[in-house]
Amino acid sequence: MITREQNELLTRTGPGTAMGDLFRRYWIPALMAQELPRPNCPPVQVQLLCERLIAFRDTQGRLGLMDEFCAHRGVSLWFGRNEENGLRCPYHGWKYDVTGQCVDVPSEPASSGFCQKIRLKAYPCVELGGVVWAYMGPPAEQPPPPAFEWVHLKPSQLFISKRWQECNYLQAMEGGIDSSHVSFLHRGDLDSDPLHRDTDGAKLTRSTNTVFDILESPGGLMIGARRDADPGYHYWRITQWLMPWYTLIPPYKGNAANGHAWVPMDDYNCMTWTMTFHPLRDLTGEELELMKKGAGVHAELIPGTFWPVANRTNGYLMDRAAQEAGDYYSGVKGLAIQDASVQESMGAIADRTKENLVSTDNAIIMARLRLRKAAQAVKDGKGAPGLDPAAQNVRSASFLLPEDRGFKDAALEATKVRTGEQHVAV
Ligand code: FES
Ligand SMILES: [Fe+2]
């Protein structure tokens, strides 16, 4: 349980809020590179940290991310014409380049110098790992580009999807670091999901006696979840939580690894990103097809949108018969929508003053504390944590360990990125 003030502090992300200022120190996944497939393609609306923005790729292929609304009288530049190195508002023809600078006001003589004085707020972008990343913080504090293992793999080794989730980022992210729910909410899927079943890990994860051992790491938390295995052994799953909203899910043997990012759009909506990647091999055509249809930790989307087919408006396609039979523990199909449905049911912003936390919520408690400390550090003029590339370039892992061995040394070893080597998984 936390106080109302603490809950406000952790969940509000607009300009000038504590979390908003912290999050603006990181490169933020803004949109998928494929949403802007070619020069002069249609512009795309983007919402980040309570700001409404427009993204476009100009004639030279440069990326622009700026205020969605025209400086003249506030028309959405989603209607804009992307032409000749700029986005032109269709109402009265004002035009902006990728830096947000107004470059043409047709009604005013060029000699007046009027348009030079008009500039929309714009943010720098980098394209990496199939993602367009935005930096929305103070220019002097711009960090090195993202260094997660998956951003440097070949495109054929990586599949990314994103889905709109109708709740605050924090309760969604808290689901990602709460390994104990897997044994319940996703129980049926461990047996049936084509990207999980038939691994020892999936069988062992069904055990519900989860015990946590959590270490602070330079970039966040290394969360060890221990379950019973064969006599004398424990099964450990090591989830990485990386500042400010990333997780790396412990892999199942032979399968690709998964990670998430929960990016606040505003305080009542977040974009849930899912990255599936294999450090050694291309993803197979079958894997790609399955993921597009909602297997693994991806969701099936309404074509042309990032809205899941199963969503709040249709009761997430609840199947009571499947719930009763145990095929889907909650009656909702698919790991991603199972997560989304329970998290959205908590309300737009979960009321954390009413919680009753238990020992399996320790990672959540520690992550909240870490976020608050990081926000305070930024406020005090100190740097934000986890920006060092070495802090981001880590792996998740799962392994068996004799009961009498502590997990720390084994986890530190198993979570190192070894280029050209398989991730450690059972
Ligand atoms: S509102 Fe955009 S040019 Fe007038
Ligand atoms: Fe989950």
Side-chain angles (χ1 to χ4, degrees), residues 31-47 53-58 62-69 75-83 86-90 96 98 304 306:
L31 69 166
M32 294 160 78
Q34 70 196 45
E35 291 178 69
L36 296 174
R38 57 180 170 79
N40 288 348
C41 63
V44 174
Q45 286 167 308
V46 178
Q47 287 187 61
L53 306 167
I54 197 85
F56 69 109
R57 201 186 285 275
D58 78 0
R62 292 175 302 194
L63 291 164
L65 181 68
M66 62 193 187
D67 225 352
E68 180 183 338
F69 303 100
V75 162
S76 170
L77 292 169
W78 181 74
F79 297 103
R81 300 178 57 86
N82 188 3
E83 56 189 17
L87 195 58
R88 192 183 287 281
C89 177
Y96 305 89
V98 288
F306 296 103

mmCIF file of all heavy atoms in Angstrom, residues 31-47 53-58 62-69 75-83 86-90 96 98 304 306:
data_model
loop_
_atom_site.group_PDB
_atom_site.id
_atom_site.type_symbol
_atom_site.label_atom_id
_atom_site.label_comp_id
_atom_site.label_asym_id
_atom_site.label_seq_id
_atom_site.Cartn_x
_atom_site.Cartn_y
_atom_site.Cartn_z
ATOM 1 N N LEU A 31 7.331 5.143 -32.078
ATOM 2 C CA LEU A 31 6.527 4.401 -33.041
ATOM 3 C C LEU A 31 7.409 3.377 -33.745
ATOM 4 O O LEU A 31 8.642 3.419 -33.606
ATOM 5 C CB LEU A 31 5.822 5.326 -34.042
ATOM 6 C CG LEU A 31 6.643 6.091 -35.082
ATOM 7 C CD1 LEU A 31 5.696 6.652 -36.140
ATOM 8 C CD2 LEU A 31 7.432 7.228 -34.483
ATOM 9 N N MET A 32 6.779 2.455 -34.449
ATOM 10 C CA MET A 32 7.554 1.464 -35.188
ATOM 11 C C MET A 32 8.055 2.107 -36.479
ATOM 12 O O MET A 32 7.320 2.870 -37.120
ATOM 13 C CB MET A 32 6.676 0.246 -35.501
ATOM 14 C CG MET A 32 6.277 -0.495 -34.240
ATOM 15 S SD MET A 32 4.852 -1.548 -34.454
ATOM 16 C CE MET A 32 5.607 -2.912 -35.263
ATOM 17 N N ALA A 33 9.291 1.789 -36.850
ATOM 18 C CA ALA A 33 9.870 2.401 -38.055
ATOM 19 C C ALA A 33 8.971 2.137 -39.268
ATOM 20 O O ALA A 33 8.829 2.982 -40.151
ATOM 21 C CB ALA A 33 11.277 1.869 -38.284
ATOM 22 N N GLN A 34 8.321 0.973 -39.277
ATOM 23 C CA GLN A 34 7.494 0.616 -40.438
ATOM 24 C C GLN A 34 6.209 1.448 -40.536
ATOM 25 O O GLN A 34 5.531 1.420 -41.558
ATOM 26 C CB GLN A 34 7.166 -0.874 -40.419
ATOM 27 C CG GLN A 34 6.204 -1.262 -39.317
ATOM 28 C CD GLN A 34 6.186 -2.762 -39.065
ATOM 29 O OE1 GLN A 34 7.227 -3.416 -38.996
ATOM 30 N NE2 GLN A 34 4.989 -3.313 -38.932
ATOM 31 N N GLU A 35 5.893 2.191 -39.484
ATOM 32 C CA GLU A 35 4.738 3.097 -39.585
ATOM 33 C C GLU A 35 5.043 4.295 -40.484
ATOM 34 O O GLU A 35 4.135 4.980 -40.939
ATOM 35 C CB GLU A 35 4.329 3.593 -38.198
ATOM 36 C CG GLU A 35 3.739 2.506 -37.317
ATOM 37 C CD GLU A 35 3.387 3.039 -35.936
ATOM 38 O OE1 GLU A 35 2.439 3.837 -35.830
ATOM 39 O OE2 GLU A 35 4.075 2.674 -34.956
ATOM 40 N N LEU A 36 6.336 4.553 -40.685
ATOM 41 C CA LEU A 36 6.767 5.604 -41.620
ATOM 42 C C LEU A 36 7.630 4.919 -42.682
ATOM 43 O O LEU A 36 8.854 5.011 -42.656
ATOM 44 C CB LEU A 36 7.566 6.680 -40.879
ATOM 45 C CG LEU A 36 6.810 7.484 -39.815
ATOM 46 C CD1 LEU A 36 7.759 8.406 -39.061
ATOM 47 C CD2 LEU A 36 5.672 8.291 -40.443
ATOM 48 N N PRO A 37 6.993 4.204 -43.621
ATOM 49 C CA PRO A 37 7.735 3.272 -44.470
ATOM 50 C C PRO A 37 8.600 3.909 -45.553
ATOM 51 O O PRO A 37 9.498 3.254 -46.064
ATOM 52 C CB PRO A 37 6.628 2.415 -45.101
ATOM 53 C CG PRO A 37 5.396 3.250 -45.038
ATOM 54 C CD PRO A 37 5.538 4.138 -43.841
ATOM 55 N N ARG A 38 8.342 5.173 -45.919
ATOM 56 C CA ARG A 38 9.100 5.755 -47.042
ATOM 57 C C ARG A 38 9.065 7.276 -46.920
ATOM 58 O O ARG A 38 8.201 7.833 -46.214
ATOM 59 C CB ARG A 38 8.463 5.321 -48.374
ATOM 60 C CG ARG A 38 7.020 5.706 -48.467
ATOM 61 C CD ARG A 38 6.317 5.318 -49.750
ATOM 62 N NE ARG A 38 4.886 5.532 -49.597
ATOM 63 C CZ ARG A 38 4.265 6.700 -49.689
ATOM 64 N NH1 ARG A 38 4.960 7.802 -49.959
ATOM 65 N NH2 ARG A 38 2.967 6.804 -49.518
ATOM 66 N N PRO A 39 9.997 7.958 -47.626
ATOM 67 C CA PRO A 39 9.958 9.417 -47.640
ATOM 68 C C PRO A 39 8.597 9.914 -48.122
ATOM 69 O O PRO A 39 7.968 9.286 -48.980
ATOM 70 C CB PRO A 39 11.063 9.796 -48.637
ATOM 71 C CG PRO A 39 12.004 8.635 -48.615
ATOM 72 C CD PRO A 39 11.155 7.415 -48.384
ATOM 73 N N ASN A 40 8.146 11.022 -47.548
ATOM 74 C CA ASN A 40 6.871 11.655 -47.939
ATOM 75 C C ASN A 40 5.636 10.785 -47.672
ATOM 76 O O ASN A 40 4.578 11.011 -48.273
ATOM 77 C CB ASN A 40 6.868 12.051 -49.424
ATOM 78 C CG ASN A 40 7.778 13.241 -49.694
ATOM 79 O OD1 ASN A 40 8.222 13.900 -48.762
ATOM 80 N ND2 ASN A 40 8.058 13.497 -50.953
ATOM 81 N N CYS A 41 5.767 9.765 -46.805
ATOM 82 C CA CYS A 41 4.592 8.925 -46.499
ATOM 83 C C CYS A 41 3.649 9.704 -45.572
ATOM 84 O O CYS A 41 4.024 10.746 -45.033
ATOM 85 C CB CYS A 41 5.026 7.608 -45.876
ATOM 86 S SG CYS A 41 5.851 7.803 -44.294
ATOM 87 N N PRO A 42 2.434 9.226 -45.387
ATOM 88 C CA PRO A 42 1.500 9.950 -44.524
ATOM 89 C C PRO A 42 2.043 10.114 -43.095
ATOM 90 O O PRO A 42 2.708 9.211 -42.586
ATOM 91 C CB PRO A 42 0.253 9.050 -44.518
ATOM 92 C CG PRO A 42 0.353 8.249 -45.766
ATOM 93 C CD PRO A 42 1.816 8.039 -46.003
ATOM 94 N N PRO A 43 1.754 11.239 -42.475
ATOM 95 C CA PRO A 43 2.197 11.461 -41.092
ATOM 96 C C PRO A 43 1.411 10.582 -40.120
ATOM 97 O O PRO A 43 0.319 10.115 -40.452
ATOM 98 C CB PRO A 43 1.906 12.938 -40.859
ATOM 99 C CG PRO A 43 0.795 13.259 -41.810
ATOM 100 C CD PRO A 43 0.975 12.363 -43.006
ATOM 101 N N VAL A 44 1.965 10.368 -38.930
ATOM 102 C CA VAL A 44 1.365 9.460 -37.945
ATOM 103 C C VAL A 44 1.222 10.187 -36.608
ATOM 104 O O VAL A 44 2.162 10.839 -36.147
ATOM 105 C CB VAL A 44 2.269 8.216 -37.755
ATOM 106 C CG1 VAL A 44 1.749 7.321 -36.641
ATOM 107 C CG2 VAL A 44 2.370 7.426 -39.052
ATOM 108 N N GLN A 45 0.029 10.067 -36.022
ATOM 109 C CA GLN A 45 -0.180 10.654 -34.687
ATOM 110 C C GLN A 45 0.505 9.803 -33.628
ATOM 111 O O GLN A 45 0.412 8.573 -33.664
ATOM 112 C CB GLN A 45 -1.672 10.716 -34.368
ATOM 113 C CG GLN A 45 -2.408 11.799 -35.134
ATOM 114 C CD GLN A 45 -3.903 11.630 -35.044
ATOM 115 O OE1 GLN A 45 -4.419 10.545 -35.325
ATOM 116 N NE2 GLN A 45 -4.604 12.685 -34.664
ATOM 117 N N VAL A 46 1.163 10.466 -32.688
ATOM 118 C CA VAL A 46 1.865 9.775 -31.601
ATOM 119 C C VAL A 46 1.517 10.493 -30.294
ATOM 120 O O VAL A 46 1.566 11.720 -30.240
ATOM 121 C CB VAL A 46 3.398 9.847 -31.820
ATOM 122 C CG1 VAL A 46 4.134 9.181 -30.670
ATOM 123 C CG2 VAL A 46 3.795 9.208 -33.144
ATOM 124 N N GLN A 47 1.168 9.702 -29.272
ATOM 125 C CA GLN A 47 0.962 10.298 -27.951
ATOM 126 C C GLN A 47 2.015 9.767 -27.008
ATOM 127 O O GLN A 47 2.145 8.544 -26.844
ATOM 128 C CB GLN A 47 -0.408 9.914 -27.400
ATOM 129 C CG GLN A 47 -1.564 10.621 -28.071
ATOM 130 C CD GLN A 47 -2.866 10.312 -27.346
ATOM 131 O OE1 GLN A 47 -3.020 10.621 -26.173
ATOM 132 N NE2 GLN A 47 -3.785 9.673 -28.034
ATOM 133 N N LEU A 53 1.644 14.454 -30.485
ATOM 134 C CA LEU A 53 2.708 14.752 -31.441
ATOM 135 C C LEU A 53 2.363 14.177 -32.809
ATOM 136 O O LEU A 53 1.496 13.307 -32.938
ATOM 137 C CB LEU A 53 4.031 14.139 -30.946
ATOM 138 C CG LEU A 53 4.451 14.532 -29.525
ATOM 139 C CD1 LEU A 53 5.574 13.642 -29.031
ATOM 140 C CD2 LEU A 53 4.875 15.988 -29.474
ATOM 141 N N ILE A 54 3.075 14.684 -33.817
ATOM 142 C CA ILE A 54 2.928 14.135 -35.164
ATOM 143 C C ILE A 54 4.314 13.711 -35.650
ATOM 144 O O ILE A 54 5.294 14.432 -35.444
ATOM 145 C CB ILE A 54 2.270 15.182 -36.111
ATOM 146 C CG1 ILE A 54 1.739 14.524 -37.361
ATOM 147 C CG2 ILE A 54 3.206 16.327 -36.456
ATOM 148 C CD1 ILE A 54 0.374 13.944 -37.219
ATOM 149 N N ALA A 55 4.386 12.511 -36.221
ATOM 150 C CA ALA A 55 5.663 12.010 -36.736
ATOM 151 C C ALA A 55 5.582 11.950 -38.253
ATOM 152 O O ALA A 55 4.540 11.617 -38.809
ATOM 153 C CB ALA A 55 5.942 10.621 -36.171
ATOM 154 N N PHE A 56 6.680 12.289 -38.913
ATOM 155 C CA PHE A 56 6.714 12.152 -40.379
ATOM 156 C C PHE A 56 8.136 11.920 -40.850
ATOM 157 O O PHE A 56 9.097 12.142 -40.121
ATOM 158 C CB PHE A 56 6.064 13.358 -41.072
ATOM 159 C CG PHE A 56 6.816 14.662 -40.971
ATOM 160 C CD1 PHE A 56 7.439 15.207 -42.086
ATOM 161 C CD2 PHE A 56 6.887 15.357 -39.770
ATOM 162 C CE1 PHE A 56 8.122 16.427 -42.011
ATOM 163 C CE2 PHE A 56 7.567 16.569 -39.681
ATOM 164 C CZ PHE A 56 8.177 17.109 -40.799
ATOM 165 N N ARG A 57 8.242 11.403 -42.065
ATOM 166 C CA ARG A 57 9.544 11.171 -42.694
ATOM 167 C C ARG A 57 9.566 12.060 -43.934
ATOM 168 O O ARG A 57 8.713 11.915 -44.806
ATOM 169 C CB ARG A 57 9.684 9.684 -43.060
ATOM 170 C CG ARG A 57 11.117 9.210 -43.233
ATOM 171 C CD ARG A 57 11.158 7.782 -43.741
ATOM 172 N NE ARG A 57 10.850 6.737 -42.785
ATOM 173 C CZ ARG A 57 11.723 6.181 -41.943
ATOM 174 N NH1 ARG A 57 12.965 6.592 -41.924
ATOM 175 N NH2 ARG A 57 11.354 5.213 -41.132
ATOM 176 N N ASP A 58 10.513 12.977 -43.998
ATOM 177 C CA ASP A 58 10.455 13.971 -45.072
ATOM 178 C C ASP A 58 11.036 13.424 -46.381
ATOM 179 O O ASP A 58 11.405 12.247 -46.475
ATOM 180 C CB ASP A 58 11.083 15.299 -44.625
ATOM 181 C CG ASP A 58 12.607 15.284 -44.642
ATOM 182 O OD1 ASP A 58 13.212 14.246 -44.993
ATOM 183 O OD2 ASP A 58 13.203 16.321 -44.295
ATOM 184 N N ARG A 62 14.478 12.079 -43.589
ATOM 185 C CA ARG A 62 14.724 12.501 -42.199
ATOM 186 C C ARG A 62 13.449 12.369 -41.371
ATOM 187 O O ARG A 62 12.348 12.601 -41.880
ATOM 188 C CB ARG A 62 15.190 13.962 -42.170
ATOM 189 C CG ARG A 62 16.558 14.177 -42.782
ATOM 190 C CD ARG A 62 16.901 15.654 -42.831
ATOM 191 N NE ARG A 62 15.908 16.408 -43.601
ATOM 192 C CZ ARG A 62 16.080 17.658 -44.031
ATOM 193 N NH1 ARG A 62 17.209 18.297 -43.769
ATOM 194 N NH2 ARG A 62 15.130 18.276 -44.711
ATOM 195 N N LEU A 63 13.617 12.031 -40.079
ATOM 196 C CA LEU A 63 12.465 11.853 -39.197
ATOM 197 C C LEU A 63 12.142 13.151 -38.484
ATOM 198 O O LEU A 63 13.048 13.854 -38.007
ATOM 199 C CB LEU A 63 12.785 10.787 -38.139
ATOM 200 C CG LEU A 63 12.920 9.361 -38.662
ATOM 201 C CD1 LEU A 63 13.615 8.492 -37.622
ATOM 202 C CD2 LEU A 63 11.541 8.800 -39.007
ATOM 203 N N GLY A 64 10.864 13.441 -38.413
ATOM 204 C CA GLY A 64 10.413 14.591 -37.632
ATOM 205 C C GLY A 64 9.390 14.128 -36.611
ATOM 206 O O GLY A 64 8.577 13.243 -36.892
ATOM 207 N N LEU A 65 9.460 14.702 -35.409
ATOM 208 C CA LEU A 65 8.456 14.425 -34.375
ATOM 209 C C LEU A 65 8.186 15.750 -33.684
ATOM 210 O O LEU A 65 9.070 16.299 -33.019
ATOM 211 C CB LEU A 65 8.982 13.390 -33.372
ATOM 212 C CG LEU A 65 7.999 13.006 -32.267
ATOM 213 C CD1 LEU A 65 6.813 12.231 -32.822
ATOM 214 C CD2 LEU A 65 8.703 12.183 -31.186
ATOM 215 N N MET A 66 6.997 16.279 -33.882
ATOM 216 C CA MET A 66 6.720 17.626 -33.356
ATOM 217 C C MET A 66 5.273 17.728 -32.903
ATOM 218 O O MET A 66 4.477 16.809 -33.088
ATOM 219 C CB MET A 66 7.032 18.670 -34.433
ATOM 220 C CG MET A 66 6.188 18.539 -35.686
ATOM 221 S SD MET A 66 6.871 19.531 -37.027
ATOM 222 C CE MET A 66 5.558 19.336 -38.242
ATOM 223 N N ASP A 67 4.980 18.856 -32.306
ATOM 224 C CA ASP A 67 3.637 19.191 -31.885
ATOM 225 C C ASP A 67 2.617 18.822 -32.963
ATOM 226 O O ASP A 67 2.824 19.130 -34.128
ATOM 227 C CB ASP A 67 3.608 20.720 -31.734
ATOM 228 C CG ASP A 67 2.923 21.137 -30.471
ATOM 229 O OD1 ASP A 67 2.352 20.257 -29.816
ATOM 230 O OD2 ASP A 67 2.965 22.336 -30.157
ATOM 231 N N GLU A 68 1.514 18.168 -32.539
ATOM 232 C CA GLU A 68 0.545 17.741 -33.556
ATOM 233 C C GLU A 68 -0.192 18.927 -34.187
ATOM 234 O O GLU A 68 -0.714 18.814 -35.299
ATOM 235 C CB GLU A 68 -0.481 16.782 -32.922
ATOM 236 C CG GLU A 68 -1.510 16.296 -33.919
ATOM 237 C CD GLU A 68 -2.590 15.405 -33.309
ATOM 238 O OE1 GLU A 68 -2.363 14.823 -32.237
ATOM 239 O OE2 GLU A 68 -3.672 15.309 -33.930
ATOM 240 N N PHE A 69 -0.238 20.062 -33.506
ATOM 241 C CA PHE A 69 -1.180 21.106 -33.913
ATOM 242 C C PHE A 69 -0.485 22.323 -34.517
ATOM 243 O O PHE A 69 0.495 22.836 -33.993
ATOM 244 C CB PHE A 69 -2.045 21.499 -32.711
ATOM 245 C CG PHE A 69 -2.766 20.306 -32.149
ATOM 246 C CD1 PHE A 69 -2.285 19.657 -31.011
ATOM 247 C CD2 PHE A 69 -3.866 19.775 -32.795
ATOM 248 C CE1 PHE A 69 -2.919 18.529 -30.518
ATOM 249 C CE2 PHE A 69 -4.506 18.648 -32.304
ATOM 250 C CZ PHE A 69 -4.031 18.025 -31.169
ATOM 251 N N VAL A 75 -4.944 23.451 -36.118
ATOM 252 C CA VAL A 75 -5.442 22.271 -36.837
ATOM 253 C C VAL A 75 -4.470 21.110 -36.662
ATOM 254 O O VAL A 75 -3.258 21.302 -36.599
ATOM 255 C CB VAL A 75 -5.628 22.621 -38.339
ATOM 256 C CG1 VAL A 75 -5.719 21.375 -39.202
ATOM 257 C CG2 VAL A 75 -6.874 23.487 -38.512
ATOM 258 N N SER A 76 -5.005 19.896 -36.584
ATOM 259 C CA SER A 76 -4.140 18.722 -36.464
ATOM 260 C C SER A 76 -3.352 18.521 -37.751
ATOM 261 O O SER A 76 -3.931 18.468 -38.843
ATOM 262 C CB SER A 76 -4.966 17.466 -36.177
ATOM 263 O OG SER A 76 -4.117 16.324 -36.301
ATOM 264 N N LEU A 77 -2.058 18.355 -37.590
ATOM 265 C CA LEU A 77 -1.210 18.135 -38.770
ATOM 266 C C LEU A 77 -1.298 16.696 -39.266
ATOM 267 O O LEU A 77 -0.597 16.311 -40.204
ATOM 268 C CB LEU A 77 0.231 18.545 -38.468
ATOM 269 C CG LEU A 77 0.379 20.061 -38.267
ATOM 270 C CD1 LEU A 77 1.751 20.403 -37.704
ATOM 271 C CD2 LEU A 77 0.130 20.807 -39.570
ATOM 272 N N TRP A 78 -2.175 15.905 -38.661
ATOM 273 C CA TRP A 78 -2.469 14.577 -39.216
ATOM 274 C C TRP A 78 -3.067 14.729 -40.614
ATOM 275 O O TRP A 78 -2.933 13.869 -41.466
ATOM 276 C CB TRP A 78 -3.446 13.832 -38.303
ATOM 277 C CG TRP A 78 -3.774 12.470 -38.800
ATOM 278 C CD1 TRP A 78 -2.970 11.372 -38.772
ATOM 279 C CD2 TRP A 78 -4.998 12.060 -39.433
ATOM 280 N NE1 TRP A 78 -3.615 10.303 -39.339
ATOM 281 C CE2 TRP A 78 -4.862 10.701 -39.761
ATOM 282 C CE3 TRP A 78 -6.190 12.714 -39.751
ATOM 283 C CZ2 TRP A 78 -5.874 9.976 -40.381
ATOM 284 C CZ3 TRP A 78 -7.194 11.994 -40.365
ATOM 285 C CH2 TRP A 78 -7.027 10.632 -40.680
ATOM 286 N N PHE A 79 -3.717 15.882 -40.852
ATOM 287 C CA PHE A 79 -4.270 16.162 -42.186
ATOM 288 C C PHE A 79 -3.207 16.703 -43.126
ATOM 289 O O PHE A 79 -3.499 17.028 -44.272
ATOM 290 C CB PHE A 79 -5.400 17.196 -42.075
ATOM 291 C CG PHE A 79 -6.577 16.707 -41.268
ATOM 292 C CD1 PHE A 79 -6.776 17.133 -39.959
ATOM 293 C CD2 PHE A 79 -7.483 15.819 -41.822
ATOM 294 C CE1 PHE A 79 -7.851 16.683 -39.223
ATOM 295 C CE2 PHE A 79 -8.575 15.371 -41.089
ATOM 296 C CZ PHE A 79 -8.756 15.798 -39.778
ATOM 297 N N GLY A 80 -1.987 16.835 -42.621
ATOM 298 C CA GLY A 80 -0.961 17.560 -43.367
ATOM 299 C C GLY A 80 -0.537 16.875 -44.657
ATOM 300 O O GLY A 80 -0.668 15.663 -44.830
ATOM 301 N N ARG A 81 -0.019 17.691 -45.575
ATOM 302 C CA ARG A 81 0.574 17.193 -46.819
ATOM 303 C C ARG A 81 2.072 17.090 -46.593
ATOM 304 O O ARG A 81 2.725 18.082 -46.288
ATOM 305 C CB ARG A 81 0.306 18.170 -47.968
ATOM 306 C CG ARG A 81 -1.165 18.410 -48.259
ATOM 307 C CD ARG A 81 -1.295 19.442 -49.378
ATOM 308 N NE ARG A 81 -0.578 18.987 -50.566
ATOM 309 C CZ ARG A 81 -1.115 18.180 -51.496
ATOM 310 N NH1 ARG A 81 -2.357 17.767 -51.375
ATOM 311 N NH2 ARG A 81 -0.417 17.809 -52.545
ATOM 312 N N ASN A 82 2.600 15.854 -46.741
ATOM 313 C CA ASN A 82 4.035 15.638 -46.537
ATOM 314 C C ASN A 82 4.717 15.807 -47.891
ATOM 315 O O ASN A 82 4.689 14.904 -48.718
ATOM 316 C CB ASN A 82 4.246 14.235 -45.945
ATOM 317 C CG ASN A 82 5.683 13.982 -45.522
ATOM 318 O OD1 ASN A 82 6.537 14.864 -45.612
ATOM 319 N ND2 ASN A 82 5.947 12.772 -45.059
ATOM 320 N N GLU A 83 5.308 16.974 -48.130
ATOM 321 C CA GLU A 83 5.831 17.251 -49.476
ATOM 322 C C GLU A 83 7.032 18.178 -49.393
ATOM 323 O O GLU A 83 7.109 19.052 -48.531
ATOM 324 C CB GLU A 83 4.735 17.892 -50.347
ATOM 325 C CG GLU A 83 4.159 19.155 -49.736
ATOM 326 C CD GLU A 83 2.930 19.697 -50.460
ATOM 327 O OE1 GLU A 83 2.308 18.962 -51.237
ATOM 328 O OE2 GLU A 83 2.604 20.866 -50.231
ATOM 329 N N GLY A 86 8.895 18.885 -45.946
ATOM 330 C CA GLY A 86 8.150 19.510 -44.861
ATOM 331 C C GLY A 86 6.714 19.044 -44.837
ATOM 332 O O GLY A 86 6.223 18.393 -45.773
ATOM 333 N N LEU A 87 6.057 19.349 -43.729
ATOM 334 C CA LEU A 87 4.654 18.970 -43.556
ATOM 335 C C LEU A 87 3.830 20.256 -43.630
ATOM 336 O O LEU A 87 4.060 21.191 -42.857
ATOM 337 C CB LEU A 87 4.499 18.286 -42.189
ATOM 338 C CG LEU A 87 3.226 17.511 -41.937
ATOM 339 C CD1 LEU A 87 3.015 16.401 -42.963
ATOM 340 C CD2 LEU A 87 3.263 16.904 -40.525
ATOM 341 N N ARG A 88 2.876 20.268 -44.587
ATOM 342 C CA ARG A 88 2.116 21.495 -44.832
ATOM 343 C C ARG A 88 0.705 21.332 -44.292
ATOM 344 O O ARG A 88 0.009 20.368 -44.623
ATOM 345 C CB ARG A 88 2.080 21.798 -46.330
ATOM 346 C CG ARG A 88 1.563 23.196 -46.655
ATOM 347 C CD ARG A 88 1.474 23.440 -48.158
ATOM 348 N NE ARG A 88 2.743 23.615 -48.842
ATOM 349 C CZ ARG A 88 3.467 24.741 -48.853
ATOM 350 N NH1 ARG A 88 3.065 25.785 -48.173
ATOM 351 N NH2 ARG A 88 4.596 24.811 -49.535
ATOM 352 N N CYS A 89 0.293 22.279 -43.445
ATOM 353 C CA CYS A 89 -1.071 22.263 -42.916
ATOM 354 C C CYS A 89 -2.039 22.558 -44.063
ATOM 355 O O CYS A 89 -1.841 23.504 -44.818
ATOM 356 C CB CYS A 89 -1.204 23.313 -41.812
ATOM 357 S SG CYS A 89 -2.870 23.435 -41.151
ATOM 358 N N PRO A 90 -3.090 21.728 -44.209
ATOM 359 C CA PRO A 90 -3.969 21.893 -45.373
ATOM 360 C C PRO A 90 -4.962 23.047 -45.209
ATOM 361 O O PRO A 90 -5.664 23.382 -46.157
ATOM 362 C CB PRO A 90 -4.707 20.556 -45.435
ATOM 363 C CG PRO A 90 -4.780 20.122 -44.015
ATOM 364 C CD PRO A 90 -3.518 20.609 -43.364
ATOM 365 N N TYR A 96 6.051 23.155 -42.160
ATOM 366 C CA TYR A 96 7.063 22.966 -41.110
ATOM 367 C C TYR A 96 8.078 21.928 -41.551
ATOM 368 O O TYR A 96 7.723 20.918 -42.165
ATOM 369 C CB TYR A 96 6.394 22.480 -39.815
ATOM 370 C CG TYR A 96 5.281 23.389 -39.357
ATOM 371 C CD1 TYR A 96 3.974 23.184 -39.804
ATOM 372 C CD2 TYR A 96 5.531 24.464 -38.515
ATOM 373 C CE1 TYR A 96 2.942 24.031 -39.416
ATOM 374 C CE2 TYR A 96 4.504 25.322 -38.115
ATOM 375 C CZ TYR A 96 3.212 25.097 -38.572
ATOM 376 O OH TYR A 96 2.197 25.937 -38.187
ATOM 377 N N VAL A 98 11.430 19.194 -40.388
ATOM 378 C CA VAL A 98 11.526 18.161 -39.332
ATOM 379 C C VAL A 98 11.980 18.722 -37.986
ATOM 380 O O VAL A 98 11.837 18.063 -36.961
ATOM 381 C CB VAL A 98 12.476 16.993 -39.730
ATOM 382 C CG1 VAL A 98 11.856 16.118 -40.807
ATOM 383 C CG2 VAL A 98 13.851 17.495 -40.128
ATOM 384 N N GLY A 304 -4.865 -2.673 -39.346
ATOM 385 C CA GLY A 304 -4.697 -1.238 -39.560
ATOM 386 C C GLY A 304 -4.692 -0.412 -38.290
ATOM 387 O O GLY A 304 -4.633 0.815 -38.340
ATOM 388 N N PHE A 306 -3.720 -0.486 -33.701
ATOM 389 C CA PHE A 306 -3.000 -1.168 -32.625
ATOM 390 C C PHE A 306 -3.954 -1.583 -31.509
ATOM 391 O O PHE A 306 -3.562 -1.802 -30.377
ATOM 392 C CB PHE A 306 -1.853 -0.270 -32.121
ATOM 393 C CG PHE A 306 -0.830 -0.030 -33.191
ATOM 394 C CD1 PHE A 306 -0.781 1.165 -33.884
ATOM 395 C CD2 PHE A 306 0.056 -1.035 -33.545
ATOM 396 C CE1 PHE A 306 0.139 1.365 -34.908
ATOM 397 C CE2 PHE A 306 0.980 -0.852 -34.564
ATOM 398 C CZ PHE A 306 1.017 0.359 -35.244
#
